[in-house]
Amino acid sequence: MSEPAKNFRFEVDADGIGLATWDMPGRSMNVITMAVMDELEGIVDAVVADAGIKGCVITSGKPNFSGGADLTMLQGLGAEYERLKASAGEEAAMRHFFEESRRLSLVFRKLETCGKPFAAAVQGLCLGGAFELALACHHRVLADDDKTRVGLPEIKVGLFPGGGGTQRVARLMQTGDALQMLFKGEQLRALMAKNMGLAHAVAPAAEIVERAKAWIRDGGSAVAPWDVPKFKAPSGKVYSPAGMMIWPPANAIYRRETHDNYPAAKAILASVYEGLQLPMDLGLRVESRYFAHILRTKEAQAMIRTLFISMGEINKGARRPKDVEPSKIGKVGVVGAGFMGAGIAYVTAQAGMEVVLIDCDQAAADAGKAHCHKLITGQINRGKAKTADRDALLARITATPDYAALGDCDLVVEAVFEDPAVKAEVIGKVEAALPEHAIFASNTSTLPISGLAKVSRRPESFVGIHFFSPVEKMLLVEVIRGTQTGDRAVATALDYVRAIKKTGIVVNDARGFFANRCVLAYVQEGHKMLMEGVPPAMIENAGRMAGMPVGPLSLNDEVALDLGLKILKATEAQLGSAAIDPDQKRLLVEMVENRGRLGRKNKRGFYDYPEGGQKKLWPGLFELQPNRLDPDSIDVDELKHRFLVVQALQAARTVQEGVITDPREADVGSILGFGFAPFTGGALSYIDFMGAAAFVELARALESKHGPRFTPPDNLLAMAGNGGRFYDALKRAA
Ligand code: NAD
């Protein structure tokens, strides 16, 4: 090595076997940076140059092997490309970009073909570029503990493995399995990885290095399987009868799963398809070409920004009031042990906190605890928890009707009926029992926090913690700041949300807060289309094609139609009939009141839910349509635009109204909260990456056809005029 390595320790034992221990100073997790690549290459050179070294084991000095490439470094490459394009032209910029973005791939290939055996000894997380490093080693030993996970999750941030992953995985596994693994980006446990052919051995953590060394000592081969002449890939040739059984369905599955919205998924397909027809070095070159292309797509940039960078910043407390000491939350009260309250109690106890679960009487409180029992039993049945975990979790939950049990709680979350009078009574009872330092939180979904806080005797300690259903699955929580909510309440709420391993965004108090307001616009657009005469199946497909996880009618069935009608009626009562959509009201009244169709909960909604069978769109929907459009006359792209634009406009309005004050929260919140087309990077990034001017033009076109719900707000008009972006303010603040 020319310079001593900073990120690796290197030693050689008495048998002549090198051990490179990756242990980056000042970081809790190893990541691949330019310096790491240089040092790794230096290690390969040193091992090759020293005749006394037989081979080398690579391991980590930290609890995890590594999380993979530093995505901010990849982002930096994109910025460098733009700079070079402006100064030296597109071709020079592209050449530089291609060479730089394939650096990692070349270092790994050098390691693989250096002539001496390399083995990886892996414990903990080993993901992305780090797993590609392990795949380039000639032998892989994984620790058989619970924490060890390997995988290539790049697709989740709009990227794909560009360090040889697509080529090596496709040469180790059956093509169908390889494609599935790359498309899903799953993290695999050690034994699973071994069974899939991705690792050679599994051993107790304390023995992995020794096992890897023993493999080298026993004469392990320094030639990768694909570098052996006459190598045959596990599924045989692409152009063969077997290949023809794989590729046409693979293409169909790709289309079904992505609707062609994810360039990275398409690049995986192409890279494997082309690469398998070429020798390894050319296959890697093909992969690098696709990687350089994908890195520059707006989808990758948007997804990296929102799902990696912004999410990381938010989870690390970017929006937490700075001056408040970290809160110590040991005991949490949950009042209302119904559907939401039981879920909240469960996730809180899961995180190790003590829980007091209160309802009107002992039986109701016990029923909430029984729900927790059911949830953890489900985890046990799926192999994700042990019986001892269940016992410990249930021991942490005290179910009681007695408010006095709240006397030593640090936080109380109420989830009683959505009725201001019931809430007011509960607020009074809880505050009478709570210690002075404790924070009171409401899980209301429709009642303004500032209004509820009026009955509180300490409104500065009163905050909204808005969960989504089902609580144990949904990763987003909105922390609602009322007009009088103090910083300590917001900070405590965010600390609690982090403790239960969810992502909290701070939203100023307003009707529908943030997420529900946007997603209700999506559902309403589906209702509108139905009443216009668009075939129901086309509405649902267009929703998914736009990138939403489920169609609007399906989503409405899950949430319950009567709840939608109730919210509509409450809005009408408070704000007048101009505030609601008469078409939507007519449809919901017909469905709920005249036809008794409430959604999945009574097995009859926009869909029918036959016992033991698959749900099907209710044929009677056609009768409710005043007229029916000829499907061939409908522009599907327009339907898709309507779905995304109507939600993005709501998101833009929340910024204009000061409900959302940081674009990262709208973007992360829209993807985690209601699955807003992830490839866009979220509801505001959708506008930013399109450009406000183009977005306003699109909104105006829809406005002229469909009315004022598509009218762009002033902040967007200003941005369209001056080329501004939502993220400009954030950059200025940084
Ligand atoms: P639920 O009807 O399932 O549960 C409410 C529980 O509160 C019942 O067990 C009831 O016995 C109990 N309760 C009523 N009055 C009480 C009192 N005075 N003291 C103690 N307990 C009392 O309702 P839910 O769906 O769990 O909703 C609860 C809250 O969560 C509501 O504010 C709702 O708006 C909000 N929320 C619901 C959802 C959802 O999807 N269901 C999502 C987010 C927020």
Side-chain angles (χ1 to χ4, degrees):
M1 273 170 278
S2 42
E3 279 179 35
K6 291 196 183 70
N7 298 301
F8 290 86
R9 294 190 292 277
F10 187 72
E11 64 209 274
V12 182
D13 70 11
D15 294 326
I17 298 172
L19 177 65
T21 306
W22 189 2
D23 197 353
M24 297 174 84
R27 280 186 184 259
S28 58
M29 176 83 106
N30 294 322
V31 289
I32 298 172
T33 60
M34 290 292 179
V36 165
M37 284 190 239
D38 288 344
E39 291 179 18
L40 200 58
E41 190 167 11
I43 289 169
V44 175
D45 289 340
V47 169
V48 171
D50 189 338
I53 302 180
K54 286 198 185 77
C56 180
V57 173
I58 300 178
T59 195
S60 163
K62 300 191 191 294
N64 291 302
F65 189 82
S66 158
D70 179 354
L71 289 182
T72 47
M73 167 185 82
L74 294 182
Q75 260 209 333
L77 271 181
E80 173 76 9
Y81 170 83
E82 294 300 335
R83 255 197 311 280
L84 264 177
K85 189 171 145 192
S87 63
E90 189 160 2
E91 207 184 314
M94 197 55 223
R95 207 173 312 119
H96 173 81
F97 190 74
F98 175 68
E99 294 307 335
E100 284 300 302
S101 62
R102 74 175 313 218
R103 230 359 272 287
L104 192 63
S105 183
L106 291 175
V107 171
F108 290 170
R109 184 62 177 153
K110 179 171 179 176
L111 179 153
E112 187 173 62
T113 55
C114 77
K116 291 201 176 168
F118 272 75
V122 172
Q123 183 185 11
L125 293 179
C126 174
L127 303 174
F131 188 48
E132 291 180 297
L133 165 61
L135 288 170
C137 289
H138 306 97
H139 192 74
R140 291 170 285 286
V141 184
L142 309 184
D144 66 357
D145 59 21
D146 259 4
K147 301 231 162 69
T148 297
R149 297 274 193 290
V150 300
L152 297 170
E154 287 87 340
I155 189 84
K156 296 194 166 161
V157 287
L159 285 176
F160 84 105
T166 66
Q167 300 305 304
R168 294 193 176 90
V169 165
R171 283 165 174 77
L172 285 168
M173 294 162 75
Q174 295 286 337
T175 305
D177 296 340
L179 286 174
Q180 205 173 26
M181 179 204 165
L182 295 166
F183 278 164
K184 285 196 177 157
E186 271 174 345
Q187 302 187 8
L188 308 165
R189 287 166 183 267
L191 202 55
M192 176 73 113
K194 178 166 179 283
N195 292 341
M196 289 166 78
L198 294 171
H200 300 88
V202 166
E207 293 171 22
I208 51 173
V209 169
E210 193 35 52
R211 290 280 289 270
K213 282 186 168 184
W215 175 80
I216 295 176
R217 220 169 19 241
D218 295 346
S221 166
V223 182
W226 34 90
D227 289 322
V228 175
K230 297 210 175 128
F231 164 74
K232 284 196 179 62
S235 292
K237 286 190 170 25
V238 169
Y239 280 94
S240 66
M244 287 309 109
M245 301 296 284
I246 296 164
W247 287 99
N251 198 30
I253 292 169
Y254 153 76
R255 294 224 156 235
R256 186 190 66 197
E257 297 297 317
T258 66
H259 299 287
D260 219 12
N261 285 324
Y262 292 84
K266 194 178 200 161
I268 286 177
L269 203 62
S271 179
V272 173
Y273 177 78
E274 292 171 33
L276 278 179
Q277 300 174 58
L278 296 167
M280 190 62 169
D281 286 300
L282 280 179
L284 289 172
R285 203 173 170 83
V286 165
E287 182 193 77
S288 297
R289 289 240 175 265
Y290 282 113
F291 186 61
H293 162 67
I294 291 302
L295 261 183
R296 288 180 307 118
T297 57
K298 68 176 192 305
E299 289 82 358
Q301 290 168 32
M303 288 177 81
I304 291 176
R305 182 169 78 179
T306 298
L307 293 173
F308 180 74
I309 296 174
S310 298
M311 185 122 103
E313 289 167 354
I314 289 174
N315 285 342
K316 282 192 193 120
R319 298 278 296 133
R320 185 186 184 280
K322 302 269 172 297
D323 302 335
V324 184
E325 291 278 293
S327 37
K328 292 190 191 69
I329 308 168
K331 193 165 187 177
V332 176
V334 180
V335 184
F339 178 61
M340 295 300 286
I344 297 167
Y346 172 73
V347 295
T348 308
Q350 256 308 21
M353 289 172 261
E354 297 287 321
V355 177
V356 176
L357 181 58
I358 291 192
D359 210 294
C360 300
D361 52 42
Q362 188 65 48
D366 286 343
K369 187 166 173 178
H371 185 67
C372 300
H373 187 285
K374 194 171 141 204
L375 288 174
I376 184 88
T377 305
Q379 292 294 93
I380 296 172
N381 293 344
R382 262 173 258 124
K384 292 192 169 160
K386 303 199 168 70
T387 323
D389 300 328
R390 173 167 65 196
D391 297 344
L393 179 120
L394 293 176
R396 283 194 286 275
I397 302 175
T398 307
T400 172
D402 182 5
Y403 281 73
L406 299 174
D408 55 352
C409 283
D410 305 299
L411 168 73
V412 167
V413 185
E414 77 68 23
V416 297
F417 296 142
E418 190 74 339
D419 174 334
V422 177
K423 300 252 191 224
E425 184 201 325
V426 166
I427 293 165
K429 280 186 178 166
V430 171
E431 286 189 348
L434 270 189
E436 212 35 54
H437 77 280
I439 299 296
F440 183 97
S442 172
N443 178 45
T444 177
S445 40
T446 57
L447 303 170
I449 288 298
S450 312
L452 289 176
K454 287 204 177 109
V455 300
S456 166
R457 54 175 184 82
R458 348 164 296 148
E460 72 289 350
S461 300
F462 195 106
V463 67
I465 300 188
H466 183 222
F467 285 87
F468 295 85
S469 134
V471 176
E472 66 282 4
K473 291 217 179 91
M474 297 298 288
L475 293 175
L476 185 73
V477 174
E478 290 177 323
V479 170
I480 315 295
R481 189 191 264 278
T483 44
Q484 297 191 64
T485 306
D487 276 355
R488 203 174 63 81
V490 171
T492 306
L494 287 172
D495 291 346
Y496 164 70
V497 170
R498 217 33 230 140
I500 56 172
K501 298 199 175 62
K502 298 196 187 284
T503 296
I505 61 170
V506 182
V507 178
N508 284 326
D509 196 14
R511 184 172 292 278
F513 309 133
F514 168 71
N516 281 350
R517 179 165 166 182
C518 298
V519 79
L520 284 176
Y522 173 59
V523 172
Q524 183 192 0
E525 207 54 32
H527 293 163
K528 283 284 209 193
M529 289 176 189
L530 193 66
M531 298 312 268
E532 284 163 25
V534 180
M538 202 164 178
I539 299 172
E540 294 291 84
N541 285 335
R544 284 192 301 266
M545 287 162 77
M548 298 300 290
V550 291
L553 306 178
S554 238
L555 179 62
N556 202 178
D557 267 7
E558 297 301 325
V559 182
L561 274 60
D562 52 329
L563 185 66
L565 181 59
K566 204 172 140 198
I567 295 174
L568 208 68
K569 284 185 170 172
T571 310
E572 188 177 22
Q574 282 167 26
L575 304 178
S577 54
I580 63 146
D581 175 13
D583 284 345
Q584 190 180 27
K585 186 174 170 196
R586 213 172 311 124
L587 174 67
L588 288 178
V589 165
E590 183 63 26
M591 290 291 282
V592 174
E593 294 177 1
N594 299 344
R595 312 269 179 152
R597 303 194 70 94
L598 308 183
R600 187 190 276 276
K601 68 180 181 186
N602 76 341
K603 298 196 168 51
R604 306 166 73 226
F606 288 111
Y607 286 77
D608 280 327
Y609 298 83
E611 208 64 60
Q614 274 205 337
K615 69 176 188 182
K616 282 202 187 74
L617 275 161
W618 175 46
L621 283 178
F622 286 107
E623 288 169 28
L624 307 189
Q625 295 188 294
N627 55 53
R628 289 189 218 162
L629 297 173
D630 169 9
D632 287 333
S633 71
I634 299 169
D635 177 355
V636 176
D637 279 337
E638 188 186 309
L639 300 184
K640 284 160 59 179
H641 281 141
R642 282 171 65 179
F643 280 137
L644 296 192
V645 170
V646 82
Q647 296 180 76
L649 281 168
Q650 284 294 9
R653 288 184 197 116
T654 62
V655 174
Q656 163 138 321
E657 293 162 19
V659 176
I660 285 284
T661 52
D662 185 318
R664 293 173 295 184
E665 293 179 308
D667 277 340
V668 169
S670 61
I671 297 182
L672 293 193
F674 51 99
F676 183 90
F679 64 90
T680 63
L684 294 182
S685 280
Y686 173 60
I687 300 175
D688 264 9
F689 277 93
M690 187 187 306
F695 180 84
V696 164
E697 199 182 316
L698 185 57
R700 287 284 192 219
L702 294 171
E703 178 192 23
S704 67
K705 248 175 125 174
H706 301 286
R709 67 185 184 284
F710 288 103
T711 306
D714 290 346
N715 57 345
L716 275 184
L717 295 179
M719 283 162 55
N722 63 21
R725 290 175 197 278
F726 286 107
Y727 279 73
D728 289 345
L730 200 64
K731 270 194 220 138
R732 277 196 298 276

